[in-house]
């Protein structure tokens, strides 16, 4: 059964670095790992995407080990506005069908 | 540049009825993905359309069907509605199946 696993919730304080790890044992060989952020009553918003090793953009870094069975989203110096739910997304092949599998989400609370 | 739009915003149906949800993709995007998101849960992949062809399907029964038009807008049809179909239905468009997805605001469906 294809699935992704991530912590249900995390707490942090303003200015700290937050790392959220997602495990995805059945990721397709040629598929990307993508992370999204979602605020209440809104659709998810893209944060970062990677295939292997490390990717960095203006808001986050993504670390992917060589076996690609997990990934870690790193948010540097979080602020109150980073309080949201964070999802990892991977593609999984099931025969001739490709499925997009989302994690259950990690609810991040950033405290003052 | 127009973002992803969905209609209607809210919808109330009764069990057994049929519903059609609509999505206009962002300009230049050729891929549309549909998701069901229950309250407090992560998005569940329904299916994806790439250039008018179904490109992947999640674990949803055949009464969930879709269509993508030449202008890359899309419809999600659900027949024989059940109470458990009550959820937020999200549409996302992208350039290609693997790239960053841009989400619409969603359609809130309530089945009574």
């Amino acid at each position: 059964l294809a699935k992704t696993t991530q912590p249900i919730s995390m707490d942090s304080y303003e200015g700290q670095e937050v790392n959220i790890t997602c495990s995805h044992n059945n990721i397709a060989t040629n598929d990307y790992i993508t992370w999204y952020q979602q605020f209440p009553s809104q659709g998810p918003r893209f944060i970062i995407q990677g295939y292997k090793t490390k990717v960095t953009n203006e808001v986050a870094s993504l670390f992917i080990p060589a076996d690609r069975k997990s990934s870690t989203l790193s948010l540097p110096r979080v602020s109150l506005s980073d309080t949201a739910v964070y999802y990892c997304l991977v593609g999984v092949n099931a025969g001739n069908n490709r499925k997009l599998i989302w994690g259950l989400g990690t609810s991040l609370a950033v405290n003052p | 540049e127009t973002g992803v739009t969905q209609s209607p915003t809210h919808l109330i149906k009764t069990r057994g009825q049929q519903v059609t949800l609509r999505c206009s993709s962002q300009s230049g995007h050729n891929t549309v993905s549909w998701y069901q998101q229950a309250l407090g849960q992560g998005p569940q992949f329904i299916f994806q359309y790439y250039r008018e062809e179904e490109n992947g399907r999640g674990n949803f029964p055949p009464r969930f069907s879709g269509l993508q038009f030449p202008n890359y807008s899309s419809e999600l049809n659900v027949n024989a509605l059940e109470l458990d179909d009550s959820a937020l239905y999200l549409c996302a468009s992208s350039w290609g199946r693997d790239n960053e997805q841009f989400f619409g605001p969603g359609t809130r469906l309530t089945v009574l």
Side-chain angles (χ1 to χ4, degrees):
Chain A
L1 181 64
K3 67 174 184 178
T4 63
T5 305
Q6 48 182 128
I8 294 174
S9 63
M10 295 182 71
D11 276 284
S12 185
Y13 292 93
E14 283 190 291
Q16 288 190 330
E17 177 184 81
V18 171
N19 296 307
I20 307 173
T21 297
C22 177
S23 65
H24 29 76
N25 291 326
N26 296 331
I27 184 173
T29 304
N30 59 346
D31 237 295
Y32 286 89
I33 299 158
T34 313
W35 284 80
Y36 285 84
Q37 175 193 58
Q38 187 175 29
F39 296 109
S41 303
Q42 294 184 21
R45 186 175 69 176
F46 174 88
I47 302 173
I48 196 167
Q49 182 184 66
Y51 182 76
K52 61 180 179 179
T53 62
K54 176 184 175 182
V55 180
T56 297
N57 62 20
E58 62 276 9
V59 299
S61 293
L62 180 59
F63 299 91
I64 304 169
D67 65 6
R68 298 186 357 105
K69 293 186 177 182
S70 68
S71 61
T72 299
L73 171 70
S74 180
L75 303 172
R77 298 179 299 280
V78 294
S79 64
L80 296 177
S81 63
D82 292 319
T83 293
V85 180
Y86 292 83
Y87 295 97
C88 62
L89 167 65
V90 300
V92 172
N93 287 327
N96 293 325
N97 186 34
R98 175 176 174 265
K99 299 182 182 183
L100 299 178
I101 307 297
W102 291 67
L104 292 179
T106 298
S107 180
L108 172 65
V110 180
N111 302 293
Chain B
E1 182 177 273
T2 307
V4 178
T5 60
Q6 293 185 242
S7 62
T9 306
H10 296 86
L11 200 53
I12 299 175
K13 291 284 190 178
T14 56
R15 198 169 46 182
Q17 285 188 310
Q18 177 266 343
V19 69
T20 297
L21 309 182
R22 295 179 174 82
C23 172
S24 291
S25 57
Q26 186 164 312
S27 176
H29 288 179
N30 56 14
T31 304
V32 171
S33 304
W34 284 92
Y35 299 92
Q36 179 194 69
Q37 187 172 29
L39 207 58
Q41 304 293 317
Q44 297 291 311
F45 175 61
I46 303 176
F47 40 60
Q48 182 182 75
Y49 281 84
Y50 171 68
R51 292 185 174 182
E52 303 179 59
E53 297 287 330
E54 188 177 285
N55 187 52
R57 188 178 180 92
N59 299 327
F60 281 80
R63 60 190 185 83
F64 285 78
S65 64
L67 207 56
Q68 187 179 31
F69 300 99
N71 67 354
Y72 300 132
S73 65
S74 178
E75 285 183 356
L76 164 65
N77 298 290
V78 187
N79 294 321
L81 283 167
E82 300 177 359
L83 297 179
D84 285 348
D85 295 333
S86 294
L88 180 68
Y89 288 84
L90 293 164
C91 164
S93 75
S94 58
W95 174 250
R97 68 171 206 173
D98 296 323
N99 295 327
E100 174 182 353
Q101 296 182 60
F102 292 81
F103 283 80
T107 293
R108 173 71 63 186
L109 173 65
T110 302
V111 182
L112 302 175

